[in-house]
Amino acid sequence: MPDQAWSQFCQALEKAGEVIASGPDTPLDRAEGYRYLARLTREMLYSCLDNADPDFPRFHELDLVKIGADNPDNVYLSANIRGDRTYRITGTRGTIAYFSIGSKANRYAKDGTMASTGELSGADLTISPDGTVEIIASAVQQGPNWLPLAPDSTGLVVRQTYLDRTSEVPGTWHIEQIDGPLEPAPLTSEFLAKALQRAALSVHGTAATFAHWTRTFAARPNELPDFGQEMFQRAGGDPEIFYLHGYWSLRPGEAWVIETDVPDCPYWNFQLDNWWMESLDHRRQITVNKHTASLDADGRLTIVVAASDPGVGNWIDTCGHNSGTALLRWLGASVHPIPKCRVVPLEEMR
């Protein structure tokens, strides 16, 4: 059985490559696409095989795993759980600007969704005098910091969001189940086969879901409209966030100008992504947020997406791309401005 399971896993990965082959065929986009598939494969193998046991979960940082417009300001942690177990999550809040933890029903391998089954934000936390926090995740309410679980809950997602990376410190977090088995189950051929199948389906399902999103956004190029929040929430979005996704396409010498009012809210950011909805190289200027952006004299925000610095507004580097996706997030805002967007010759900005 293990030989057959491995063979089927490899064949399924090859099938997933069809998602990449159906995307843009520029050398850069295609290379990023297969790197994306390799990153997904690494993550899904770890999640489905090595860190799959919901009775002995470990928080795992999503290092260089870029899925569905990952936020460059975020430290993401994930863990596998079961909805009929009880978990104790302990740690320190740190000084990072925003914290949230959500329980999710991850169905990326089946239908491309990851619906929320419970949420807890930093504003809701009771913190001990020594700065430590204890959260109980369970089906039945327990303690002051309770994260609800549902029968179909399969995982936890922690978001820790920087406003200022130079001064803020994220928290440290640990998870343990407190009412399940005392020892891990031994590895079996049956588990291996199911884990490899789940990993391959998750790779394919994730890639296909967000390729579909990109094609949806491409129907309205160089805009940041409200496509409806339900689609984003069903895929694992934070309920506190209002998402404005878009698709951009520029010819040489063009700039995408984005102008908007800025709502009163604890956090917002804009980021530029590639066709596969991965945030671009964090070492370059591909994002601005509430802390790092410069506002116009009238308090409005101007963002200029271009291949080179126009010297005005908040420049976002295309990093050698001529098309891709983008995202503007308003977190905790009571109003959600829709930006005005236009494409102009870059020289007009100088």
Side-chain angles (χ1 to χ4, degrees):
M1 183 182 291
D3 293 342
Q4 182 183 10
W6 181 256
S7 177
Q8 292 173 343
F9 169 73
C10 293
Q11 292 172 27
L13 282 187
E14 184 175 13
K15 183 73 173 177
E18 295 177 2
V19 176
I20 308 305
S22 70
D25 61 359
T26 71
L28 177 56
D29 288 318
R30 193 56 58 89
E32 287 184 335
Y34 285 112
R35 182 184 64 181
Y36 170 53
L37 213 61
R39 286 172 168 174
L40 289 178
T41 302
R42 180 191 67 183
E43 176 60 26
M44 300 313 175
L45 280 173
Y46 182 74
S47 178
C48 296
L49 187 60
D50 285 329
N51 193 23
D53 192 342
D55 290 320
F56 297 88
R58 299 188 297 269
F59 275 126
H60 164 54
E61 183 175 345
L62 301 183
D63 176 44
L64 286 181
V65 182
K66 300 186 173 191
I67 300 174
D70 59 290
N71 188 344
D73 290 333
N74 274 6
V75 178
Y76 291 99
L77 303 174
S78 69
N80 287 324
I81 54 96
R82 282 175 48 158
D84 61 353
R85 296 283 195 254
T86 298
Y87 299 89
R88 179 184 295 112
I89 300 144
T90 54
T92 58
R93 172 66 176 81
T95 61
I96 200 162
Y98 177 73
F99 168 89
S100 73
I101 182 170
S103 62
K104 309 292 181 179
N106 190 335
R107 296 174 57 90
Y108 275 3
K110 297 180 180 180
D111 59 14
T113 65
M114 190 167 66
S116 172
T117 56
E119 299 290 337
L120 187 65
S121 73
D124 300 323
L125 289 180
T126 298
I127 302 175
S128 299
D130 63 358
T132 60
V133 181
E134 179 181 275
I135 299 168
I136 299 297
S138 61
V140 178
Q141 184 168 358
Q142 300 184 46
N145 297 318
W146 176 55
L147 176 65
L149 300 183
D152 59 345
S153 297
T154 59
L156 303 181
V157 175
V158 174
R159 288 177 170 89
Q160 300 183 90
T161 307
Y162 288 100
L163 278 174
D164 182 4
R165 281 186 174 269
T166 66
S167 63
E168 296 171 4
V169 178
T172 57
W173 299 98
H174 172 76
I175 182 172
E176 59 182 341
Q177 62 84 9
I178 57 178
D179 64 351
L182 299 178
E183 295 183 358
L187 178 66
T188 65
S189 296
E190 291 76 14
F191 170 78
L192 177 69
K194 290 181 179 178
L196 289 175
Q197 181 186 46
R198 191 180 308 113
L201 288 172
S202 296
V203 170
H204 196 161
T206 302
T209 291
F210 294 111
H212 170 70
W213 281 25
T214 296
R215 292 187 176 94
T216 299
F217 304 152
R220 299 181 63 175
N222 300 315
E223 294 184 48
L224 288 171
D226 177 11
F227 282 98
Q229 297 302 301
E230 182 181 358
M231 177 171 68
F232 310 136
Q233 297 301 331
R234 290 180 69 245
D238 185 334
E240 288 289 309
I241 297 175
F242 191 89
Y243 295 91
L244 294 170
H245 284 276
Y247 176 89
W248 60 276
S249 179
L250 296 173
R251 292 191 292 265
E254 289 185 332
W256 182 29
V257 181
I258 301 161
E259 298 170 309
T260 182
D261 293 326
V262 178
D264 181 16
C265 60
Y267 171 83
W268 59 261
N269 86 319
F270 173 86
Q271 67 183 73
L272 206 65
D273 307 320
N274 63 15
W275 198 93
W276 311 105
M277 295 190 67
E278 297 179 298
S279 63
L280 296 182
D281 189 341
H282 295 185
R283 294 167 295 183
R284 299 172 71 169
Q285 184 60 39
I286 57 93
T287 185
V288 290
N289 68 25
K290 178 179 178 179
H291 174 77
T292 61
S294 298
L295 299 184
D296 303 336
D298 60 1
R300 287 170 55 82
L301 172 69
T302 300
I303 295 168
V304 182
V305 176
S308 59
D309 188 351
V312 296
N314 296 276
W315 174 51
I316 301 295
D317 190 349
T318 58
C319 300
H321 296 75
N322 56 29
S323 66
T325 56
L327 173 57
L328 177 62
R329 294 174 177 85
W330 305 127
L331 187 154
S334 58
V335 295
H336 309 109
I338 306 299
K340 293 183 178 179
C341 303
R342 54 196 169 95
V343 174
V344 302
L346 180 58
E347 287 302 318
E348 286 188 7
M349 306 298 299
R350 294 186 168 131

